[in-house]
Amino acid sequence: MNAYGTSASPYESRPVGDSRKKQSMAELKLRRLTELNHRLREDLDRGRIPVSAAATDLISFTDKEPKDFMVPSRWGPPPKNEDPYAPPQSTGCCSVM
């Protein structure tokens, strides 16, 4: 008996099933790494533009009609009669419920 309580020598070959399990795990790991590598290559091939060009495109887009009142720094506050986000005006001093 050895230190592990078995009669097998530590240098004996392992059962075949354990080898097959390790091979299967290695194949799974290889497949995952291959898929990750493929996704990273697709990401690398994707077209890129500089931030300055993207900012210029965004500014030119906001210059077009219709005015977007959600960007008040560009268009200023909307007129009260055109503000789609303003609370509805009450038409009198009382309301009947």
Side-chain angles (χ1 to χ4, degrees):
M1 287 225 162
N2 61 15
Y4 300 110
T6 61
S7 61
S9 161
Y11 301 107
E12 288 182 21
S13 64
R14 293 183 179 163
V16 176
D18 191 34
S19 173
R20 188 179 306 164
K21 183 177 177 182
K22 282 188 177 186
Q23 183 180 6
S24 173
M25 292 296 287
E27 288 173 357
L28 179 64
K29 191 173 185 178
L30 176 63
R31 187 176 333 126
R32 286 181 180 170
L33 286 173
T34 304
E35 289 171 1
L36 176 64
N37 189 14
H38 180 69
R39 285 193 305 264
L40 289 173
R41 286 186 187 276
E42 286 177 349
D43 191 32
L44 186 61
D45 291 340
R46 189 173 300 134
R48 310 241 189 255
I49 61 171
V51 174
S52 57
T56 303
D57 288 347
L58 186 59
I59 290 170
S60 67
F61 177 76
T62 57
D63 282 341
K64 296 177 183 175
E65 290 289 333
K67 294 180 179 178
D68 186 1
F69 294 115
M70 295 300 287
V71 188
S73 61
R74 184 73 181 141
W75 296 104
K80 295 291 182 192
N81 60 348
E82 292 181 20
D83 188 3
Y85 305 107
Q89 297 290 335
S90 63
T91 57
C93 64
C94 301
S95 63
V96 177
M97 294 189 160

